[in-house]
Amino acid sequence: MNKESVGIVETKYLDISNPITLDGGESLEKVTVAYETYGELNKEKSNAILICHALTGDAHAAGWHKGDRKPGWWEMVIGPGKALDSEKYFIICSNVLGGCKGTTGPSSINPKTGKEYGLDFPVITINDMVKVQKELIDSFGITQLAAVIGGSMGGMQVLEWIVSYPKMMKKAIPIATAGMSSPQQIAFNAVGRQSIFSDPNWHDGNYYDAGEIPSNGLSLARMIAHITYLSDESMDIKFGRGLQDKDEISYDFSVDFQVESYLKHQGETFVKRFDANSYLFITKAVDLFDMSVNNSLINGFKDVETKIEVISVDSDWLYPTEQSMEIVTALNANNVDVSFSEIKSNYGHDAFLLERGQLNYIISNFLSENVVDDLMMEEIATIKENAEIVDAAKLMVEKHVTHIPVVNDNFKLIGIVTSWDLSKSIATNSNRLKDIMTKNVKYCHAEDAIEEIARKMRKFDISCLPVVDDDMKVVGLITTDQISNLLS
């Protein structure tokens, strides 16, 4: 086990009490979601990062399950000292709705029949997956995520998050994804589904009690999909035209080439860990994915408020850079704070699972580019200058704070009162707030750099700054404790 790993982890489960209303009009009751967490949630609940997995992934993103021979699927970026530092962030990853690794899906028991759902499971969307993730995040009492990150289908979930819940995260990183599924992408998924449908062991999805599963169809679906995850260059480097366990071509239909053997192995391995019906429903959700409104991605992203880093892979022909640039262009048209990076790799689409160095560099840089808006408390207490000192004292006790901005009737900043000021009021026998509050108050703006604000606080020996907008209206507070937690 690597010393940079989060170590031994366990998958946990949340039973959602309320029904999940799906985009297709149906609803699911008694939904269970499987998830894992790494690191600790801070007392402000402001350091949580949600990781969204790709098509056939699961909740096990990092660390080791007991007895495993390999770690979670994104071990390379999650753990102490890595881009997603478990000593700094509280990292959450859940299995998607429709999956087969602990979250409710077609292989789960239908409470109405007592048998597996099979094709009675309703068609789901990426947005439906996000609704379940939102229930999980709410269960922690988290009101805003530090970031939402995901690649491929996980990137689609990220885009759904920033549109459906624009205030729920400070930053977002969609990787190797698209704003809508293209005809080519839909075509590959359709062929994969047809291979499952044509397997005689599929039995219209009711194969759970049959003793046999549609292994040939599912294996073929995986082989087709796996080709799209690679690049021509990576396949040439890895296999070339090398023969598999033979010195010459056999001139029959047995396996001649290494690439044939590799794909066959990928298919056979996949069958052991994935449910065929889950594959059908999840690929259909990907096909239905479309963030445009009235055929416009610009319209689809009009309400986005999150700071975003879009990442693509130069050799990815399944979700090419052009599709990432469409996302960037649409976000720019809406004046969203968006940046773009392209991974240089011959791995193709799979590069987001393999390019450790580039991904750690890009993600860590983006997450560390912190401004006041990334840390500040937004739901804060304020008080009017005509209030009495006892009102301020009661408010501090009620809200568990030591600093309260003083505002006028238009909520513009005119001063600040601290617990030290309350002590001063006793010595001066004052009752009115305006007699003891600090009027020459220091403040900052949401877009100010954290390092700059930290220097300002040290210079003036203050532990809290009100955050104001261009009209001097108070929009939040930032404290030295928050900055210290970040910088440490």
Side-chain angles (χ1 to χ4, degrees):
M1 188 183 303
N2 193 308
K3 67 178 181 179
E4 296 177 341
S5 174
V6 296
I8 300 296
V9 297
E10 292 183 2
T11 304
K12 303 171 185 176
Y13 302 89
L14 172 71
D15 293 324
I16 300 173
S17 57
N18 54 292
I20 303 296
T21 302
L22 305 175
D23 287 351
E26 297 188 55
S27 65
L28 277 173
E29 297 184 6
K30 298 183 178 180
V31 170
T32 296
V33 55
Y35 68 95
E36 291 186 7
T37 63
Y38 320 108
E40 295 184 4
L41 187 62
N42 62 18
K43 63 180 181 180
E44 297 86 7
K45 299 186 177 182
S46 62
N47 67 332
I49 292 179
L50 176 66
I51 305 300
C52 305
H53 70 70
L55 188 72
T56 60
D58 53 34
H60 184 39
W64 300 74
H65 287 166
K66 289 183 179 179
D68 274 0
R69 290 184 292 179
K70 63 179 182 178
W73 57 268
W74 230 18
E75 175 81 359
M76 70 177 188
V77 296
I78 300 174
K82 300 174 187 176
L84 302 180
D85 193 337
S86 54
E87 294 180 344
K88 180 176 179 180
Y89 301 113
F90 179 64
I91 301 154
I92 307 165
C93 184
S94 65
N95 187 214
V96 297
L97 181 68
C100 55
K101 291 300 183 74
T103 297
T104 299
S107 61
S108 301
I109 299 299
N110 183 344
K112 296 179 180 178
T113 65
K115 299 185 66 176
E116 291 86 354
Y117 278 100
L119 288 195
D120 288 335
F121 194 76
V123 170
I124 56 173
T125 66
I126 300 295
N127 188 42
D128 293 330
M129 298 176 184
V130 169
K131 291 175 187 175
V132 172
Q133 292 169 347
K134 174 67 162 51
E135 293 283 343
L136 174 63
I137 299 305
D138 288 346
S139 73
F140 289 105
I142 297 168
T143 57
Q144 188 177 54
L145 293 158
V148 180
I149 306 172
S152 193
M153 186 186 81
M156 294 178 177
Q157 295 163 57
V158 172
L159 296 179
E160 284 282 8
W161 265 98
I162 65 174
V163 169
S164 297
Y165 308 102
K167 297 183 183 296
M168 269 291 294
M169 74 296 301
K170 290 183 178 294
K171 295 184 178 181
I173 308 178
I175 308 170
T177 194
M180 66 188 76
S181 289
S182 71
Q184 183 187 62
Q185 291 154 358
I186 294 171
F188 278 114
N189 286 337
V191 172
R193 289 194 296 272
Q194 287 299 321
S195 68
I196 294 173
F197 295 151
S198 62
D199 190 311
N201 290 331
W202 183 56
H203 298 300
D204 293 326
N206 298 314
Y207 52 82
Y208 297 105
D209 295 329
E212 291 183 296
I213 63 173
S215 55
N216 288 335
L218 182 58
S219 176
L220 178 56
R222 180 62 172 183
M223 291 169 68
I224 294 166
H226 200 79
I227 294 170
T228 70
Y229 305 152
L230 308 176
S231 70
D232 182 53
E233 183 180 3
S234 69
M235 294 176 80
D236 187 54
I237 292 172
K238 190 176 182 70
F239 308 111
R241 288 182 56 82
L243 299 179
Q244 180 68 29
D245 299 329
K246 58 180 67 174
D247 296 324
E248 57 184 29
I249 293 175
S250 58
Y251 292 99
D252 57 25
F253 290 104
S254 62
V255 172
D256 279 321
F257 297 101
Q258 292 174 10
V259 67
E260 293 179 273
S261 176
Y262 170 78
L263 288 175
K264 187 172 184 290
H265 172 73
Q266 290 296 322
E268 291 172 347
T269 303
F270 184 65
V271 166
K272 297 175 183 178
R273 71 175 181 86
F274 214 80
D275 177 62
N277 283 336
S278 275
Y279 194 86
L280 299 177
F281 282 92
I282 293 176
T283 56
K284 187 64 177 181
V286 170
D287 291 353
L288 295 173
F289 180 72
D290 183 358
M291 296 306 300
S292 69
V293 173
N294 296 326
N295 295 316
S296 168
L297 272 182
I298 295 175
N299 290 338
F301 291 142
K302 66 181 178 63
D303 295 323
V304 172
E305 300 180 20
T306 311
K307 185 175 183 180
I308 300 170
E309 169 78 15
V310 177
I311 303 175
S312 72
V313 180
D314 64 349
S315 58
D316 185 351
W317 60 275
L318 180 61
Y319 292 97
T321 293
E322 288 78 7
Q323 290 183 317
S324 289
M325 290 308 301
E326 289 174 359
I327 296 170
V328 173
T329 300
L331 291 169
N332 272 324
N334 285 293
N335 295 315
V336 175
D337 187 351
V338 58
S339 51
F340 170 73
S341 299
E342 185 180 58
I343 294 173
K344 307 299 180 184
S345 174
N346 60 28
Y347 286 128
H349 184 63
D350 266 356
F352 81 95
L353 298 170
L354 300 169
E355 288 288 356
R356 176 190 181 105
Q358 293 185 68
L359 269 174
N360 273 282
Y361 178 79
I362 294 169
I363 293 174
S364 61
N365 276 359
F366 178 67
L367 293 180
S368 64
E369 289 178 354
N370 286 290
V371 294
V372 170
D373 186 52
D374 296 328
L375 295 181
M376 71 179 190
M377 296 177 287
E378 296 181 25
E379 296 181 5
I380 62 168
T382 59
I383 196 168
K384 302 290 181 63
E385 67 171 332
N386 58 0
E388 294 189 358
I389 290 175
V390 67
D391 298 324
K394 289 179 179 179
L395 192 56
M396 284 186 183
V397 171
E398 178 187 343
K399 300 296 184 181
H400 305 286
V401 295
T402 57
H403 296 70
I404 302 177
V406 183
V407 298
N408 62 18
D409 290 338
N410 295 320
F411 288 94
K412 291 186 177 182
L413 180 68
I414 58 175
I416 194 166
V417 61
T418 70
S419 55
W420 169 252
D421 294 325
L422 297 187
S423 300
K424 183 172 63 177
S425 70
I426 298 175
T428 59
N429 197 27
S430 301
N431 294 319
R432 297 184 305 174
L433 187 64
K434 63 182 180 181
D435 292 337
I436 55 100
M437 73 180 194
T438 301
K439 296 179 181 178
N440 185 23
V441 61
K442 305 298 180 185
Y443 58 86
C444 64
H445 297 282
E447 63 272 16
D448 291 343
I450 288 297
E451 290 79 6
E452 176 187 335
I453 296 308
R455 287 193 295 270
K456 186 174 186 177
M457 287 178 159
R458 287 194 299 270
K459 178 180 178 181
F460 294 102
D461 192 24
I462 51 181
S463 59
C464 180
L465 283 178
V467 186
V468 299
D469 62 15
D470 293 338
D471 294 324
M472 288 300 292
K473 291 183 178 179
V474 177
V475 296
L477 278 179
I478 187 164
T479 68
T480 50
D481 283 346
Q482 292 170 296
I483 294 175
S484 296
N485 286 339
L486 171 72
L487 297 181
S488 64

